[in-house]
Amino acid sequence: MKSSKFFITALESSVDRSDFDCGVEPLNRYFTTQVGQDIKRRITSCFIATHSDGDIAGFYTLAAASIALKDLPSNLTKKLPRYPSVPAVRLGRLAVSVSYRGRGLGAALLADALTRSLQADIAAYAMLVNAKDETAAKFYEHHGFMATKEDPDILYLPLATAKQILSKQ
Ligand SMILES: CC(C)(COP(=O)(O)OP(=O)(O)OC[C@H]1O[C@@H](n2cnc3c(N)ncnc32)[C@H](O)[C@@H]1OP(=O)(O)O)[C@@H](O)C(=O)NCCC(=O)NCCS
C-alpha cells in the first residue's frame, strides 16, 4: 500500500530496524530486538511504513484476539449472538518515528491496519488496542475507539464502524 511518500509493507527479516526511534524505549526495544522472533513464532504480524528515502518511519503489529461480551455496552451486545466472546484483531503496538511525527502517518498506519482487518478472510467483530498511557488512549479516542467496560486502557472499535469511517475519508 502507498501513502504519499510512504510505502506500508509487511516487515521482512532482512530489513535493518536498529535505528528506529519513536521516543518510547519499550516500543523501540520491542521493534528492534523482539518483533522478528514473534513473527517467526506466529505470535504477531508486523507492518512498516518506509519513507521514499529508505527510513523506517513507523510500524504496527496485528494479532488474533477476542473480546468478552461483558466488556461491551448493551446497545452492541443485544445485536450479537449469545457467546461469551466475539473475535477481534489486536493492534498490539503502533508507533511513528520522532522524525516523522505530526504528518498524518499515525492515522495512515491505523487506517491501513483497519483496512487489512476488514479485508482479511477470517472475520473479526472489532479491533482492540491496549493504550500504554493516557496520551495513547486519546490518540485512539480521536479515531473513534471507545474504552471497554472492564478496563479504560483497553479500547475497541467495531470493524463495521471503521468501514463507515474509512469510506468517508
Ligand atoms: C501516537 C502516534 C502514533 C501518533 O502519530 P502521528 O503520526 O504523530 O499522528 P498523526 O499526525 O497521524 O495524527 C493524526 C491525528 O491524530 C491526532 N493525534 C495525534 N496524537 C494524538 C494524541 N495523543 N491525542 C489525541 N489526538 C492525537 C492529530 O492531531 C491528528 O488529528 P487530525 O487528523 O484531526 O488533524 C505517535 O505520537 C507515537 O508514535 N507515539 C509514541 C508511541 C505511542 O504512544 N503509540 C500508541 C500506543 S502503543
Side-chain angles (χ1 to χ4, degrees):
M1 287 184 203
K2 192 176 174 183
S3 156
S4 63
K5 289 181 185 157
F6 300 101
F7 292 87
I8 303 177
T9 53
L11 174 64
E12 290 180 16
S13 56
S14 56
V15 172
D16 178 8
R17 28 188 219 278
S18 55
D19 286 341
F20 183 79
D21 179 14
C22 69
V24 180
E25 200 37 46
L27 286 173
N28 288 344
R29 207 176 319 119
Y30 178 78
F31 183 61
T32 55
T33 67
Q34 199 184 322
V35 73
Q37 284 297 322
D38 282 359
I39 293 168
K40 268 191 207 143
R41 295 178 189 134
R42 300 193 61 81
I43 303 300
T44 195
S45 51
C46 179
F47 298 88
I48 56 170
T50 309
H51 190 262
S52 47
D53 68 9
D55 283 352
I56 299 181
F59 79 93
Y60 69 83
T61 63
L62 291 181
S66 66
I67 181 164
L69 256 53
K70 66 177 175 48
D71 292 342
L72 294 170
S74 58
N75 65 314
L76 294 182
T77 55
K78 70 183 181 201
K79 296 178 201 151
L80 292 170
R82 302 281 97 205
Y83 301 148
S85 63
V86 286
V89 175
R90 184 181 306 281
L91 182 69
R93 292 168 174 91
L94 170 104
V96 170
S97 157
V98 286
S99 314
Y100 292 95
R101 291 271 181 88
R103 301 190 194 182
L105 185 57
L109 285 168
L110 182 57
D112 191 79
L114 290 164
T115 302
R116 274 181 212 281
S117 304
L118 280 160
Q119 289 173 350
D121 288 337
I122 300 173
Y125 172 71
M127 179 168 281
L128 279 181
V129 294
N130 287 69
K132 63 174 183 51
D133 56 27
E134 206 180 322
T135 309
K138 291 266 178 285
F139 172 77
Y140 291 120
E141 282 167 4
H142 183 79
H143 292 281
F145 283 74
M146 292 154 285
T148 55
K149 285 204 284 190
E150 181 72 9
D151 181 346
D153 293 335
I154 302 178
L155 296 93
Y156 70 95
L157 179 66
L159 285 173
T161 310
K163 191 175 182 179
Q164 288 172 1
I165 294 171
L166 290 168
S167 71
K168 289 179 196 148
Q169 289 177 353

